[in-house]
Amino acid sequence: GNSVTQMEGPVTLSEEAFLTINCTYTATGYPSLFWYVQYPGEGLQLLLKATKADDKGSNKGFEATYRKETTSFHLEKGSVQVSDSAVYFCAQSATSGTYKYIFGTGTRLKVLA
Amino acid sequence: DADVTQTPRNRITKTGKRIMLECSQTKGHDRMYWYRQDPGLGLRLIYYSFDVKDINKGEISDGYSVSRQAQAKFSLSLESAIPNQTALYFCATSDRTGGQETQYFGPGTRLLVL
């Protein structure tokens, strides 16, 4: 069945370090892919998305590229800030048929000043 | 104002009590969802609704029920709360434009069952 696998956290970085959070998926067909961010005490916010192969989603300095050949959607940021500390969720959504929106288990990021 | 609101934001209840969590949205979306979040387990789907007359069970619906009172309102009930229902509960809505679906989340309700 369809699934989303994220790297386990927590990930701890110093401010201005480079961030990568790995995400891979299994799916029939070609799902849309998403990254959501959850700040402490808040709900999930859509960070970025990509709807087809080779698309790059970007927002707030974060980027992720839809790689069909490696079934991956890794999240990257060139220089993290303390305010980026949060939990990041990768997700996929089927493009046809009934509901099929699947989340990864989340990766906690802690950025130290 | 927030597009997806949840009430209450925090709730403490006792085992065996009936409680209701409410969700309202102003996004005009037909699809609404209830999830629970537990540490290390990510989000798990409880129920979802594609329109007012459509209700579907998710992966963990046992012990829960829902009501879609209107396009904008989707309530989750715990008929007889138990301690392992202690969790963070999220409501979400989605649109499906051009065959692509994007979900938008409320701020969550933190529930503690004693």
Side-chain angles (χ1 to χ4, degrees):
Chain A
N2 292 14
S3 67
V4 173
T5 303
Q6 289 180 238
M7 61 187 291
E8 286 195 23
V11 174
T12 302
L13 296 173
S14 298
E15 206 165 26
E16 300 183 1
F18 184 86
L19 168 71
T20 300
I21 300 178
N22 291 337
C23 172
T24 58
Y25 68 92
T26 61
T28 53
Y30 302 102
S32 297
L33 300 173
F34 307 84
W35 278 101
Y36 284 84
V37 58
Q38 183 181 28
Y39 298 105
E42 299 183 13
L44 278 71
Q45 302 174 24
L46 179 65
L47 181 59
L48 54 83
K49 68 178 182 181
T51 57
K52 61 183 186 297
D54 299 325
D55 268 2
K56 177 183 284 187
S58 62
N59 186 27
K60 300 182 181 179
F62 291 89
E63 294 183 339
T65 302
Y66 191 141
R67 301 286 188 199
K68 185 177 68 173
E69 63 277 10
T70 54
T71 61
S72 65
F73 193 55
H74 304 321
L75 182 68
E76 297 181 335
K77 186 175 186 182
S79 176
V80 293
Q81 305 300 312
V82 173
S83 58
D84 294 326
S85 298
V87 180
Y88 292 83
F89 291 90
C90 185
Q92 63 161 293
S93 170
T95 57
S96 62
T98 57
Y99 172 85
K100 207 152 186 76
Y101 210 97
I102 298 171
F103 288 88
T105 55
T107 302
R108 183 175 299 278
L109 170 66
K110 185 173 182 180
V111 180
L112 305 176
Chain B
D1 288 339
D3 295 318
V4 184
T5 57
Q6 293 183 233
T7 56
R9 292 295 312 278
N10 294 279
R11 178 74 184 268
I12 300 174
T13 191
K14 294 182 178 180
T15 296
K17 294 292 187 181
R18 181 182 188 276
I19 65 166
M20 179 182 289
L21 310 183
E22 299 188 356
C23 175
S24 294
Q25 54 115 346
T26 58
K27 298 185 78 67
H29 293 165
D30 287 328
R31 298 183 171 202
M32 298 187 73
Y33 308 82
W34 276 104
Y35 292 91
R36 68 176 275 176
Q37 183 182 26
D38 298 277
L41 294 177
L43 276 75
R44 293 183 291 168
L45 181 66
I46 306 172
Y47 271 95
Y48 62 103
S49 169
F50 283 174
D51 64 43
V52 175
K53 297 180 180 179
D54 177 78
I55 302 290
N56 304 280
K57 292 183 177 181
E59 58 183 306
I60 55 163
S61 59
D62 287 348
Y64 302 94
S65 63
V66 291
S67 173
R68 185 78 183 269
Q69 301 95 323
Q71 186 203 36
K73 296 184 181 296
F74 193 37
S75 301
L76 175 72
S77 294
L78 285 68
E79 297 300 327
S80 179
I82 56 176
N84 77 0
Q85 291 177 313
T86 293
L88 187 54
Y89 290 85
F90 288 106
C91 175
T93 72
S94 72
D95 60 1
R96 193 171 175 86
T97 304
Q100 309 294 337
E101 179 171 0
T102 301
Q103 294 199 355
Y104 301 89
F105 285 79
T109 295
R110 190 170 297 278
L111 175 65
L112 174 61
V113 183
L114 300 175

Short mmCIF file of all heavy atoms in Angstrom, two decimals, chain A residues 22-46:
data_model
loop_
_atom_site.label_atom_id
_atom_site.label_comp_id
_atom_site.label_asym_id
_atom_site.label_seq_id
_atom_site.Cartn_x
_atom_site.Cartn_y
_atom_site.Cartn_z
N ASN A 22 14.98 13.88 5.20
CA ASN A 22 14.67 12.93 4.15
C ASN A 22 13.23 12.44 4.22
O ASN A 22 12.69 12.21 5.30
CB ASN A 22 15.61 11.74 4.22
CG ASN A 22 17.03 12.11 3.85
OD1 ASN A 22 17.27 13.08 3.15
ND2 ASN A 22 17.98 11.34 4.34
N CYS A 23 12.64 12.25 3.04
CA CYS A 23 11.30 11.70 2.92
C CYS A 23 11.24 10.84 1.67
O CYS A 23 11.63 11.29 0.59
CB CYS A 23 10.26 12.81 2.83
SG CYS A 23 8.58 12.23 2.45
N THR A 24 10.79 9.62 1.82
CA THR A 24 10.54 8.75 0.67
C THR A 24 9.12 8.24 0.73
O THR A 24 8.50 8.21 1.80
CB THR A 24 11.52 7.57 0.63
OG1 THR A 24 11.41 6.83 1.85
CG2 THR A 24 12.96 8.03 0.45
N TYR A 25 8.61 7.83 -0.41
CA TYR A 25 7.22 7.39 -0.46
C TYR A 25 7.09 6.16 -1.32
O TYR A 25 7.94 5.86 -2.16
CB TYR A 25 6.32 8.51 -1.00
CG TYR A 25 6.57 8.82 -2.46
CD1 TYR A 25 5.84 8.20 -3.47
CD2 TYR A 25 7.55 9.74 -2.83
CE1 TYR A 25 6.08 8.47 -4.80
CE2 TYR A 25 7.80 10.02 -4.16
CZ TYR A 25 7.07 9.38 -5.14
OH TYR A 25 7.31 9.64 -6.47
N THR A 26 6.04 5.41 -1.09
CA THR A 26 5.60 4.35 -2.00
C THR A 26 4.18 4.69 -2.40
O THR A 26 3.38 5.14 -1.58
CB THR A 26 5.66 2.96 -1.34
OG1 THR A 26 4.78 2.95 -0.21
CG2 THR A 26 7.06 2.62 -0.89
N ALA A 27 3.88 4.48 -3.67
CA ALA A 27 2.55 4.83 -4.15
C ALA A 27 2.28 4.14 -5.47
O ALA A 27 3.20 3.85 -6.23
CB ALA A 27 2.42 6.34 -4.33
N THR A 28 1.00 3.91 -5.71
CA THR A 28 0.57 3.51 -7.05
C THR A 28 0.21 4.80 -7.77
O THR A 28 -0.49 5.66 -7.22
CB THR A 28 -0.63 2.57 -6.98
OG1 THR A 28 -1.66 3.19 -6.20
CG2 THR A 28 -0.24 1.26 -6.33
N GLY A 29 0.68 4.97 -8.94
CA GLY A 29 0.42 6.22 -9.65
C GLY A 29 1.37 7.31 -9.21
O GLY A 29 2.45 7.06 -8.66
N TYR A 30 0.93 8.55 -9.39
CA TYR A 30 1.79 9.70 -9.13
C TYR A 30 1.09 10.66 -8.18
O TYR A 30 0.32 11.52 -8.61
CB TYR A 30 2.14 10.37 -10.46
CG TYR A 30 2.81 9.41 -11.41
CD1 TYR A 30 2.11 8.83 -12.45
CD2 TYR A 30 4.13 9.03 -11.21
CE1 TYR A 30 2.71 7.91 -13.29
CE2 TYR A 30 4.75 8.12 -12.04
CZ TYR A 30 4.02 7.56 -13.09
OH TYR A 30 4.61 6.65 -13.91
N PRO A 31 1.37 10.50 -6.90
CA PRO A 31 0.68 11.35 -5.92
C PRO A 31 1.22 12.77 -5.92
O PRO A 31 2.31 13.04 -6.43
CB PRO A 31 0.99 10.65 -4.60
CG PRO A 31 2.34 10.05 -4.83
CD PRO A 31 2.32 9.59 -6.28
N SER A 32 0.47 13.68 -5.32
CA SER A 32 1.00 14.98 -4.94
C SER A 32 1.77 14.80 -3.63
O SER A 32 1.43 13.95 -2.82
CB SER A 32 -0.13 15.99 -4.73
OG SER A 32 -0.83 16.20 -5.93
N LEU A 33 2.79 15.61 -3.43
CA LEU A 33 3.63 15.50 -2.24
C LEU A 33 3.66 16.83 -1.50
O LEU A 33 3.64 17.90 -2.13
CB LEU A 33 5.05 15.07 -2.63
CG LEU A 33 5.15 13.73 -3.35
CD1 LEU A 33 6.58 13.50 -3.82
CD2 LEU A 33 4.70 12.60 -2.44
N PHE A 34 3.74 16.75 -0.18
CA PHE A 34 3.61 17.94 0.66
C PHE A 34 4.62 17.89 1.81
O PHE A 34 4.99 16.81 2.29
CB PHE A 34 2.21 18.01 1.30
CG PHE A 34 1.08 17.91 0.32
CD1 PHE A 34 0.63 16.67 -0.10
CD2 PHE A 34 0.46 19.05 -0.16
CE1 PHE A 34 -0.42 16.57 -1.00
CE2 PHE A 34 -0.59 18.95 -1.06
CZ PHE A 34 -1.04 17.72 -1.48
N TRP A 35 4.99 19.07 2.27
CA TRP A 35 5.63 19.24 3.57
C TRP A 35 4.77 20.17 4.40
O TRP A 35 4.39 21.25 3.94
CB TRP A 35 7.04 19.80 3.45
CG TRP A 35 8.06 18.77 3.14
CD1 TRP A 35 8.63 18.50 1.94
CD2 TRP A 35 8.65 17.85 4.07
NE1 TRP A 35 9.53 17.46 2.06
CE2 TRP A 35 9.56 17.04 3.35
CE3 TRP A 35 8.50 17.63 5.44
CZ2 TRP A 35 10.32 16.03 3.95
CZ3 TRP A 35 9.25 16.63 6.05
CH2 TRP A 35 10.15 15.84 5.30
N TYR A 36 4.47 19.72 5.63
CA TYR A 36 3.75 20.53 6.60
C TYR A 36 4.69 20.81 7.77
O TYR A 36 5.56 20.00 8.09
CB TYR A 36 2.52 19.79 7.14
CG TYR A 36 1.36 19.74 6.18
CD1 TYR A 36 1.30 18.77 5.19
CD2 TYR A 36 0.31 20.65 6.28
CE1 TYR A 36 0.22 18.72 4.31
CE2 TYR A 36 -0.76 20.61 5.41
CZ TYR A 36 -0.80 19.64 4.43
OH TYR A 36 -1.87 19.59 3.58
N VAL A 37 4.48 21.94 8.44
CA VAL A 37 5.26 22.30 9.61
C VAL A 37 4.32 22.54 10.79
O VAL A 37 3.24 23.11 10.61
CB VAL A 37 6.16 23.53 9.35
CG1 VAL A 37 5.33 24.74 8.93
CG2 VAL A 37 7.01 23.86 10.57
N GLN A 38 4.72 22.05 11.94
CA GLN A 38 3.93 22.23 13.16
C GLN A 38 4.80 22.92 14.20
O GLN A 38 5.73 22.32 14.75
CB GLN A 38 3.43 20.89 13.69
CG GLN A 38 2.53 21.01 14.91
CD GLN A 38 2.07 19.66 15.43
OE1 GLN A 38 2.74 18.64 15.26
NE2 GLN A 38 0.91 19.64 16.07
N TYR A 39 4.52 24.18 14.47
CA TYR A 39 5.23 24.91 15.51
C TYR A 39 4.64 24.55 16.87
O TYR A 39 3.47 24.12 16.96
CB TYR A 39 5.14 26.41 15.26
CG TYR A 39 5.78 26.84 13.97
CD1 TYR A 39 5.02 27.18 12.86
CD2 TYR A 39 7.18 26.87 13.84
CE1 TYR A 39 5.60 27.55 11.67
CE2 TYR A 39 7.77 27.23 12.64
CZ TYR A 39 6.98 27.57 11.57
OH TYR A 39 7.58 27.91 10.38
N PRO A 40 5.39 24.70 17.93
CA PRO A 40 4.92 24.30 19.26
C PRO A 40 3.55 24.89 19.59
O PRO A 40 3.33 26.09 19.46
CB PRO A 40 6.01 24.83 20.18
CG PRO A 40 7.23 24.84 19.34
CD PRO A 40 6.78 25.21 17.96
N GLY A 41 2.63 24.02 20.00
CA GLY A 41 1.31 24.46 20.41
C GLY A 41 0.37 24.84 19.29
O GLY A 41 -0.72 25.37 19.55
N GLU A 42 0.76 24.56 18.05
CA GLU A 42 -0.08 24.95 16.92
C GLU A 42 -0.45 23.75 16.06
O GLU A 42 0.06 22.64 16.24
CB GLU A 42 0.65 25.99 16.07
CG GLU A 42 0.96 27.27 16.82
CD GLU A 42 1.62 28.31 15.93
OE1 GLU A 42 1.61 28.14 14.69
OE2 GLU A 42 2.14 29.30 16.48
N GLY A 43 -1.34 23.99 15.11
CA GLY A 43 -1.71 22.96 14.15
C GLY A 43 -0.70 22.88 13.01
O GLY A 43 0.30 23.60 12.99
N LEU A 44 -0.97 21.99 12.08
CA LEU A 44 -0.08 21.83 10.93
C LEU A 44 -0.36 22.93 9.91
O LEU A 44 -1.50 23.24 9.60
CB LEU A 44 -0.29 20.47 10.27
CG LEU A 44 0.42 19.29 10.90
CD1 LEU A 44 -0.20 18.91 12.23
CD2 LEU A 44 0.42 18.10 9.95
N GLN A 45 0.72 23.47 9.37
CA GLN A 45 0.61 24.48 8.33
C GLN A 45 1.27 23.93 7.07
O GLN A 45 2.35 23.36 7.14
CB GLN A 45 1.32 25.78 8.73
CG GLN A 45 0.82 26.41 10.01
CD GLN A 45 1.67 27.60 10.40
OE1 GLN A 45 2.32 28.23 9.57
NE2 GLN A 45 1.67 27.93 11.69
N LEU A 46 0.63 24.14 5.94
CA LEU A 46 1.23 23.73 4.69
C LEU A 46 2.48 24.57 4.43
O LEU A 46 2.42 25.80 4.41
CB LEU A 46 0.23 23.90 3.54
CG LEU A 46 0.74 23.53 2.16
CD1 LEU A 46 1.05 22.04 2.07
CD2 LEU A 46 -0.28 23.92 1.10
#
